[in-house]
Each structure stands twice: as structure tokens, then as C-alpha cells.
């Protein structure tokens, strides 16, 4: 027996209403803010993710799916979407367009992690990136967009955590102070943190081990070491969030797991919080495009896991529109009726009426039971008599009434074509 690989899930038909809804809402909200869709490949050159400056991050060291193709090229499944979007921005000369370029994506993302509720080896990210502009207004725009999207789904009481981790100029001085502070605790911290002290000191602040938590809490705050430009940027972000009435909490230990952030970093958490609770993660990454071979270009963005969004929709008991099923079921008995059923189904579908045609392998009774369980509006019944008279018995399932009609009048009688838009489904 084969099973879906550990940490992956099949999205069965019963789940699709959630996925259609969140993707539709994401597209609508992005349209409101002028973000255009981009799709990048599911795999990239390994080096795009494993840049030298990315060494020491869990993503590069432990979580990537790496493989060599038959031509000997070392590739990696997309472990996050920001570097691929930056690669596309440079490769296709999007820097020649009016800046900032606003892009969004929705797609599967792959990380070899220890699976648990809300954490998978294949998850789907919806994210936005605004490239080519350093204004703090954009930092706030992407936070506002993420919140508007979550609120459009009915998710409320969200917490925004905010920090600034400085820039190339001011961060090194803070890192030195942090390393000095940790010297006194090298015997007390966990084994991971002992490595971080050397390889990736900022990540010390993110350690969740109880032994390290106490040390983290008393660590020097990066906000006290920001250069004047980073301080101004951070102040403007906070002021603008206040103007928009978006509540946020400053969190001096928020540093994020990826290497490329500069200045603003943020996370958005739902009402119920646990270890895998951040729905949204993002921030500014003014050095990344240069690191992958482009010109120095400021940029900011976020990504969110749609599995976590849907988990929260379910936990909060929120409704999602269910797309309508077929309107008509055709039951039939006998060979001539089977042929008529197939042609009639084709004619009705051609007129935009959804039809589920029985294959005729079930008994007549079983066909009617199936029609009932599908919740169709009408069942059409065909037998030898109807074929000969070119008529059909039409049963209105809700009223439990039936009448005989000429086959040529069925399109008119069975009514309006299917409207597949989600809004029609909720009405
Ligand atoms: P990230 O925090 O690694 O950031 O991931 C973003 C979001 O993806 C998380 O908040 C979470 O909702 C979801 N996520 C991450 N890993 C998993 C997983 N294993 N299972 C389920 N959901 C997961 C990034 O990926 C950055 N590229 C975000 C960004 C965009 N920063 C700037 N622009």
C-alpha cells in the first residue's frame, strides 16, 4: 500500500471549497493593492537558496530537498519564494519597469521538517513582494494587505509582532555586543545555541528552549543599537501603523529564520497561539537582490501558509462558500434510454446546465437514491416510453412532484445556467 509521503496531504474534493475560497480572496485583495501574480518553478538552482550568506540557517542546513538531475545540475525544491521572485526580477529585467514592482504568488513550498499540526513537508504559501523601493510606507502596505486578507476570511483578533534588525551598517555592532553577552552563558545554553553563538548569533534570540529563554529575555535589545537611518525607518513604520489603526506589539527577540532580512521584520499570529502558530512571516530584505547578482535593490514582503490559514478558519467555525454541484441527474432504464440520456446530457451541458448522468449500471431504485444523496434540483427519468414519445419525466426534488415534458423543452424548463463564481455559491 502506498501512502502520501510523510508531511504531505491530499487535498480531497471535500476540502477544495476552502482552497478555492482562500485563493480567490487572495487574488481579490491583491488586485485592490495592485499586486500582480507571478509563478516561479517548483525547483531552482540549489545555489539560489544556499548562498554563502545563508549558511547556518536551518532552511539551508537541514530542510532543503536537494537533488541532481540527469544532466548533473544540482537543484533544490522551492524552500521559500522570496529568492525565486528576486531571481525572476533580475533575470527578466523587471527593474526596468516603474518601481516598486508589486508581485504575489500562491504555490507549494517544500521543507524537510518534523511534521506536526500546522507544519508540513509540502505546504502552500501565499505571499507578496514589493521590489525596488525603500519607503517604510511599503512595509506598512504589505502588513496591511496581509491583515485585510485574513480579515476578509473572517479571521479577527490577530496580533502583529514587530521588530527592526538593522542594516549592514549597524547590525554587526549589535551582533558583537550579543556575542559578548552570551560569553558568560556558553555553559548554560543548549547545544544548538552554542553553534549559533559562532555561526548565526542573531538566531540566538529565537531559541525556544527553556534554558535559553531566560538568557534571551535579558539580552541587549537591537533597537538600542540601530543607526539613525534604521531608527527613522522603524519609527515611520510604527507611526504609519498607528495612523491606520493597526495594533502591533514590539518584540525585541523577533529575528525570523531566514538570513536575508534587514530593518523591519514582522509576524502575524492568530487568536489561539501555539508553537506553530505564526500565520504570516515577513520583512524587508534590502540586500537579497544584490546577493543573487542584481543591482542593490530594496524590497519587502511576506508569506503565509495557507494550511495554517485554513486550520484557523476551521477552528473558528467560519463559513466558506460551497460551489454548487450539478443541477440535474439523469436516471434511465434500458438500452435506448441510455443512448438518449447521453445525448440529452450533452445538450443540457451545452446550454450551461450541470448534469450528472447515471451510467445505468445501477438499478433504477439505486439511481434515484443516488440522485437524492447528491442534492440535485431535478431528476430526469427516461425509459422506453419516453424515448419513443421524445419526452422525459422531470422530478422536482424539493417539491417531490413530477411532470412529463417534451425533451425539446427541457433546457427552457430546467432553467438558469450554472454560475461558477464563489459569490453565486454563497447566495
Ligand atoms: P517563513 O516564515 O519561513 O517565511 O514562512 C512563511 C509562512 O509560511 C509561515 O508563517 C507559515 O505560515 C508558513 N510555513 C512555513 N513553513 C511551514 C511548514 N513547514 N508547514 C506549514 N506552513 C509553513 C518565508 O518563507 C519568507 N519567504 C517570507 C517572506 C516573504 N519574507 C519576505 N517576503
Amino acid at each position: 500500500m502506498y501512502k502520501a509521503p510523510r508531511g504531505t496531504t491530499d487535498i480531497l474534493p471535500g476540502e477544495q471549497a476552502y482552497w478555492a475560497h482562500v485563493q480567490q480572496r487572495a487574488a481579490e485583495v491583491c488586485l485592490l493593492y495592485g499586486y500582480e501574480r507571478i509563478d516561479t518553478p517548483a525547483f531552482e538552482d540549489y545555489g539560489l537558496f544556499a548562498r554563502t550568506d545563508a549558511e547556518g540557517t536551518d532552511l539551508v542546513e537541514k530542510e532543503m530537498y536537494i537533488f541532481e538531475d540527469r544532466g548533473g545540475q544540482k537543484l533544490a525544491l522551492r524552500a521559500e519564494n522570496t529568492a525565486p521572485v528576486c531571481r525572476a526580477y533580475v533575470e527578466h529585467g523587471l527593474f526596468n519597469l516603474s518601481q516598486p514592482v508589486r508581485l504575489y504568488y500562491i504555490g507549494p513550498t517544500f521543507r524537510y521538517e518534523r511534521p506536526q499540526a500546522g507544519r508540513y513537508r509540502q505546504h502552500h504559501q501565499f505571499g507578496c513582494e514589493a521590489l525596488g523601493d525603500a519607503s517604510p510606507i511599503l512595509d506598512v502596505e504589505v502588513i496591511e494587505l496581509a491583515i485585510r486578507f485574513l480579515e476578509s476570511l473572517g479571521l479577527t483578533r490577530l496580533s502583529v509582532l514587530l521588530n527592526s534588525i538593522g542594516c549592514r551598517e549597524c547590525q554587526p555592532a549589535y551582533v558583537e555586543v550579543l556575542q559578548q553577552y552570551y560569553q558568560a552563558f556558553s555553559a548554560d545554553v543548549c547545544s544548538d545555541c552554542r553553534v549559533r553563538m559562532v555561526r548565526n548569533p542573531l538566531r540566538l534570540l529565537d531559541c525556544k528552549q527553556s534554558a535559553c529563554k531566560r538568557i534571551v529575555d535579558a539580552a541587549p535589545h537591537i533597537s538600542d543599537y540601530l543607526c539613525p537611518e534604521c531608527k527613522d525607518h522603524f519609527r515611520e513604520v510604527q507611526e504609519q501603523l498607528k495612523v491606520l489603526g493597526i495594533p502591533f506589539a514590539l518584540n525585541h527577540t523577533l529575528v525570523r529564520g531566514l538570513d536575508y532580512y534587514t530593518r523591519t521584520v514582522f509576524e502575524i499570529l492568530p487568536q489561539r497561539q501555539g508553537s506553530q502558530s505564526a500565520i504570516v512571516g515577513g520583512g524587508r530584505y534590502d540586500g537579497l537582490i544584490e546577493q543573487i547578482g542584481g543591482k542593490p535593490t530594496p524590497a519587502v514582503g511576506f508569506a503565509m501558509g495557507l494550511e495554517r490559514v485554513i486550520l484557523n478558519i476551521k477552528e473558528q467555525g467560519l463559513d466558506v462558500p460551497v460551489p454548487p454541484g450539478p443541477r440535474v441527474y439523469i436516471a434511465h432504464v434500458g438500452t435506448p434510454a441510455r443512448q438518449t440520456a447521453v445525448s440529452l446530457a450533452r445538450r443540457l451541458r451545452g446550454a450551461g446546465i450541470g448534469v450528472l448522468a447515471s451510467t445505468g449500471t445501477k438499478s433504477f431504485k439505486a439511481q434515484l437514491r443516488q440522485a437524492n444523496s447528491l442534492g440535485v434540483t431535478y431528476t430526469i427519468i427516461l425509459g422506453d416510453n419516453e424515448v419513443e414519445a421524445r419526452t422525459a419525466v422531470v422530478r422536482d426534488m424539493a417539491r417531490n412532484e413530477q411532470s412529463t415534458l417534451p425533451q425539446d423543452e427541457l433546457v427552457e424548463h430546467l432553467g438558469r445556467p450554472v454560475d461558477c463564481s464563489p459569490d453565486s455559491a454563497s447566495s
Side-chain angles (χ1 to χ4, degrees):
M1 268 289 274
Y2 290 111
K3 287 188 165 180
R6 194 162 129 76
T8 68
T9 40
D10 297 310
I11 306 175
L12 297 174
E15 286 289 298
Q16 292 291 345
Y18 289 97
W19 287 87
H21 182 51
V22 295
Q23 294 187 39
Q24 173 80 21
R25 282 278 176 275
E28 285 165 7
V29 173
C30 285
L31 193 65
L32 270 184
Y33 288 77
Y35 283 69
E36 293 181 292
R37 176 141 182 168
I38 183 168
D39 288 284
T40 62
F43 55 86
E44 294 273 354
D45 196 294
Y46 165 77
L48 179 68
F49 300 112
R51 303 172 307 279
T52 39
D53 45 282
E55 274 174 16
T57 60
D58 283 354
L59 193 78
V60 171
E61 307 251 311
K62 303 184 192 157
E63 295 172 3
M64 271 206 289
Y65 281 90
I66 304 162
F67 61 101
E68 208 174 273
D69 70 9
R70 288 166 192 271
Q73 191 183 354
K74 195 168 179 187
L75 298 164
L77 290 187
R78 181 169 60 196
E80 62 103 33
N81 294 271
T82 308
V85 167
C86 292
R87 196 254 320 127
Y89 175 86
V90 175
E91 182 176 339
H92 302 289
L94 303 186
F95 45 80
N96 291 318
L97 304 175
S98 160
Q99 306 292 300
V101 172
R102 292 175 164 92
L103 301 170
Y104 81 92
Y105 49 83
I106 299 174
T109 308
F110 307 89
R111 295 183 184 176
Y112 188 78
E113 295 199 79
R114 204 158 43 80
Q116 53 183 275
R119 192 206 270 167
Y120 311 97
R121 291 187 174 166
Q122 173 179 286
H123 70 280
H124 295 75
Q125 286 194 350
F126 158 44
C128 288
E129 313 291 350
L131 308 118
D133 191 313
S135 168
I137 295 289
L138 272 189
D139 306 29
V140 175
E141 179 176 285
V142 295
I143 295 174
E144 192 210 349
L145 190 163
I147 290 177
R148 188 180 296 274
F149 164 72
L150 295 169
E151 287 183 347
S152 79
L153 299 170
L155 297 170
T156 50
R157 282 180 280 164
L158 303 161
S159 317
V160 179
L161 302 184
L162 189 69
N163 194 17
S164 170
I165 58 166
C167 66
R168 264 193 292 209
E169 305 303 321
C170 55
Q171 202 185 78
Y174 171 72
V175 167
E176 222 170 275
V177 171
L178 191 64
Q179 278 174 316
Q180 272 164 18
Y181 164 79
Y182 265 84
Q183 288 305 325
F185 303 107
S186 53
D188 307 319
V189 294
C190 70
S191 54
D192 281 347
C193 280
R194 228 163 283 139
V195 178
R196 288 178 187 134
M197 282 173 67
V198 184
R199 297 196 63 187
N200 198 348
L202 270 191
R203 294 282 297 153
L204 288 164
L205 298 174
D206 201 28
C207 188
K208 305 283 185 288
Q209 299 286 333
S210 53
C212 299
K213 197 84 193 73
R214 183 177 52 82
I215 303 167
V216 170
D217 287 342
H221 290 197
I222 192 161
S223 53
D224 295 333
Y225 295 82
L226 297 178
C227 63
E229 292 76 18
C230 286
K231 255 192 191 132
D232 282 352
H233 188 98
F234 196 32
R235 186 180 37 74
E236 270 197 60
V237 170
Q238 295 177 56
E239 277 173 13
Q240 192 60 34
L241 284 171
K242 284 182 193 149
V243 168
L244 296 185
I246 298 174
F248 60 90
L250 295 180
N251 184 322
H252 77 97
T253 64
L254 181 66
V255 286
R256 313 267 309 119
L258 296 150
D259 62 294
Y260 47 61
Y261 291 106
T262 51
R263 297 192 166 167
T264 315
V265 287
F266 62 89
E267 285 185 354
I268 303 180
L269 291 93
Q271 204 176 334
R272 188 193 60 80
Q273 295 175 14
S275 58
Q276 297 306 316
S277 57
I279 305 184
V280 181
R284 186 161 273 290
Y285 48 95
D286 292 344
L288 179 59
I289 291 172
E290 192 182 0
Q291 282 164 26
I292 64 164
K295 296 197 189 91
T297 311
V300 63
F302 71 79
M304 66 177 88
L306 290 181
E307 284 80 0
R308 291 192 191 173
V309 172
I310 290 171
L311 265 176
N312 278 278
I313 290 177
K314 289 181 180 171
E315 272 176 13
Q316 295 193 26
L318 299 167
D319 286 334
V320 296
V322 179
R327 200 168 156 72
V328 174
Y329 183 94
I330 303 182
H332 51 90
V333 195
T335 308
R338 178 165 51 189
Q339 282 163 4
T340 305
V342 172
S343 325
L344 192 58
R346 179 168 167 77
R347 206 173 346 145
L348 294 176
R349 291 179 190 132
I353 298 167
V355 178
L356 207 142
S358 163
T359 57
T361 44
K362 290 188 178 67
S363 72
F364 181 60
K365 241 180 158 175
Q367 291 181 51
L368 291 188
R369 265 202 308 274
Q370 187 177 36
N372 252 322
S373 68
L374 287 168
V376 293
T377 314
Y378 298 105
T379 299
I380 292 177
I381 299 162
L382 296 169
D384 289 346
N385 292 345
E386 286 74 27
V387 172
E388 203 168 304
R390 298 185 58 77
T391 58
V393 175
V394 177
R395 180 177 291 183
D396 182 321
M397 302 299 277
R399 295 203 183 119
N400 209 14
E401 290 168 3
Q402 62 184 48
S403 51
T404 301
L405 292 171
Q407 287 171 18
D408 288 342
E409 287 176 21
L410 287 175
V411 166
E412 197 186 331
H413 184 81
L414 301 182
R416 67 191 159 92
V418 178
D419 178 355
C420 296
S421 71
D423 289 342
S424 73
S426 56
S427 61

